Amino acid sequence: MFGKIIYYDKKTIGEYKSLITGQKQVEVTEYEVANGKGLGVDFKAVKADLSADKKYTAKITESALFECNEFETLLEKREGDDYFDFSTSDDYDLETVPKSSIIKIEASICIPESFDMMQMVEQFKPLLISSMQSETTDKNEQTALEAFLSEANASKIPVVIDSNDKLLLCTKLNKDYLTIDFQEFADTDEEVTILARISSRVVKNDKPFYDPLKDFMTLNRAMRKSIGERNKNIEAIKADEDYRTLDVLAIYR
């Protein structure tokens, strides 16, 4: 697997590794090398002329690709139980895979265009707040708008996953887990490999999987209900057909 990780949920993958192995994960940050012997590391990888009476530390270089490959190796032993690899087999059906199972699938990803406005607000939020402070004379209106903008957060990215003739998949990615720039991710036009946990049964297409009032503005239920007819910029995002939702663990290409 010589791919490039573009999204990686390190914390959740670490937790799942612990469940599979039955051992708590220990994060090693460095090894100590002393007296000509490597403690927990192959000393052949260290320079041969190190003095025996000195101590050295070898820092660990993190590799999301290595960790992801290690996780997939553990999952292979659970194939057909709670792990289903659609990238190598056509024997599975996305509609019947049990909820909470992990799947591996090759598919194309798409961010709905309506999210562009939210991303733009997030990007220019400081400028918008500054502009309001200089142009708005009504202090109450200014305070309300500033509070609204300060709460707006585009950290959840709505994504539709199309695996050709298979069931449509929908998710909300955490922007903090991207390993590349958001715009580069949004412009991805090739198929990618996705590791994800199925988080729902089949959902009807009239039910939204992303609601700007909840996922972008973080309004509580009472405030969302108090808002009347929405304009197109804050409409809930729905799928074109029935779908299942995912918790994405990793994406690579």
Side-chain angles (χ1 to χ4, degrees), residues 73-93:
T73 300
L74 292 173
L75 288 172
E76 288 172 0
K77 300 175 183 178
R78 309 170 73 90
E79 179 86 31
D81 180 13
D82 52 12
Y83 171 64
F84 302 87
D85 187 350
F86 286 86
S87 68
T88 59
S89 175
D90 294 323
D91 296 335
Y92 305 128
D93 185 348

Side-chain angles (χ1 to χ4, degrees), residues 49-239:
D49 61 348
L50 293 179
S51 301
D53 59 346
K54 293 183 179 180
K55 290 185 178 181
Y56 304 85
T57 56
K59 291 186 177 180
I60 307 301
T61 301
E62 289 191 1
S63 170
L65 190 63
F66 176 84
E67 292 177 3
C68 188
N69 184 65
E70 187 178 53
F71 181 50
E72 286 190 40
T73 300
L74 292 173
L75 288 172
E76 288 172 0
K77 300 175 183 178
R78 309 170 73 90
E79 179 86 31
D81 180 13
D82 52 12
Y83 171 64
F84 302 87
D85 187 350
F86 286 86
S87 68
T88 59
S89 175
D90 294 323
D91 296 335
Y92 305 128
D93 185 348
L94 274 174
E95 292 192 31
T96 59
V97 169
K99 181 182 175 182
S100 298
S101 298
I102 293 177
I103 65 169
K104 177 181 177 181
I105 193 166
E106 294 178 350
S108 58
I109 56 177
C110 175
I111 299 175
E113 290 185 4
S114 55
F115 183 70
D116 292 347
M117 178 60 69
M118 297 164 227
Q119 175 64 20
M120 188 177 299
V121 170
E122 172 79 6
Q123 184 176 358
F124 294 102
K125 186 161 50 176
L127 182 61
L128 290 171
I129 292 176
S130 175
S131 176
M132 285 188 305
Q133 290 172 342
S134 61
E135 295 179 7
T136 305
T137 56
D138 188 317
K139 293 298 181 182
N140 290 331
E141 180 182 348
Q142 178 179 313
T143 301
L145 288 172
E146 286 183 16
F148 160 74
L149 281 176
S150 63
E151 290 295 323
N153 190 327
S155 61
K156 293 181 181 179
I157 309 169
V159 173
V160 177
I161 299 169
D162 186 358
S163 51
N164 297 320
D165 297 331
K166 299 181 177 66
L167 184 72
L168 205 65
L169 301 168
C170 298
T171 189
K172 290 180 287 191
L173 300 181
N174 188 327
K175 189 184 291 186
D176 292 339
Y177 299 156
L178 289 176
T179 63
I180 59 175
D181 179 75
F182 169 79
Q183 196 55 55
E184 182 183 350
F185 178 80
D187 291 340
T188 300
D189 57 2
E190 60 187 290
E191 278 201 342
V192 293
T193 301
I194 300 169
L195 273 179
R197 171 185 172 274
I198 296 285
S199 59
S200 78
R201 296 178 174 81
V202 178
V203 179
K204 294 297 182 181
N205 65 345
D206 60 350
K207 183 175 181 179
F209 69 93
Y210 182 94
D211 185 349
L213 298 184
K214 179 174 64 175
D215 298 311
F216 175 61
M217 300 179 190
T218 63
L219 300 182
N220 60 42
R221 183 181 300 181
M223 294 182 69
R224 294 199 303 271
K225 286 184 175 181
S226 68
I227 295 177
E229 185 177 351
R230 306 190 195 184
N231 65 44
K232 62 180 182 180
N233 292 324
I234 58 171
E235 286 181 346
I237 299 176
K238 302 177 182 179

